[in-house]
Amino acid sequence: MSPSPFAIRAASADDLPGLLALYGELNPDDPALDAALAADRFAAILARPGMTVFIGLADDIAAASVTSVVVPNLTRGGAPYALIENVVTSAAFRRRGFAGALIRHAIAKAWDAGCYKVMLLTGSKDPATLRFYENCGFRQDKTGYQIRRP
């Protein structure tokens, strides 16, 4: 089987159903959000300056996603920093490099925004997941995982 074409872009309101399906795989024990609440929360996310949900599409199907937040800052000469959260790839699309591509994309966008570092937030204790993040360039320290601007 040939690999699916993969495209990365900022999510839009039309992507909400696909994102909710991905988040259901990320946190299967979470209660399902009411449709109106989900739409309201996603509209707030889309309207928030510096916050971007990147979606990876394989054959127009939501295959993976990451959320990036660029945070204004008063230290480091005013250089912002970025947070990456909610990294997820659908089980049907794992082991194809999609999550790594999305993370690299989010990091590149953070550097484009002038960030001096990117931090990754994770609740995972799975050694394979943590190794994956390290393979994406993140280094663990006492505050979590981060990459400093090259």
Side-chain angles (χ1 to χ4, degrees):
M1 171 168 35
S2 65
S4 301
F6 187 67
I8 298 171
R9 62 171 171 74
S12 69
D14 292 338
D15 294 312
L16 181 57
L19 288 170
L20 291 175
L22 284 170
Y23 296 152
E25 291 189 48
L26 178 64
N27 296 308
D29 295 332
D30 278 0
L33 284 179
D34 169 78
L37 178 60
D40 182 61
R41 294 289 161 84
F42 193 46
I45 288 168
L46 294 175
R48 186 166 305 270
M51 187 170 193
T52 307
V53 177
F54 292 107
I55 190 166
L57 301 164
D59 292 328
D60 295 323
I61 298 168
S65 181
V66 303
T67 299
S68 174
V69 182
V70 174
V71 181
N73 190 19
L74 290 173
T75 64
R76 305 291 178 161
Y81 57 91
L83 306 172
I84 292 177
E85 172 64 296
N86 293 336
V87 177
V88 60
T89 302
S90 173
F93 293 98
R94 290 188 184 142
R95 299 208 169 284
R96 299 186 195 184
F98 294 167
L102 272 164
I103 289 173
R104 286 188 299 277
H105 183 82
I107 292 168
K109 293 295 186 182
W111 297 155
D112 290 347
C115 293
Y116 80 94
K117 72 177 176 180
V118 179
M119 295 181 288
L120 175 81
L121 305 176
T122 182
S124 179
K125 304 288 186 236
D126 180 351
T129 299
L130 301 178
R131 202 169 32 255
F132 164 74
Y133 292 139
E134 289 171 357
N135 288 337
C136 288
F138 289 93
R139 296 295 167 247
Q140 186 175 22
D141 66 15
K142 64 184 177 200
T143 63
Y145 286 85
Q146 62 179 294
I147 296 175
R148 296 274 177 170
R149 186 176 183 95

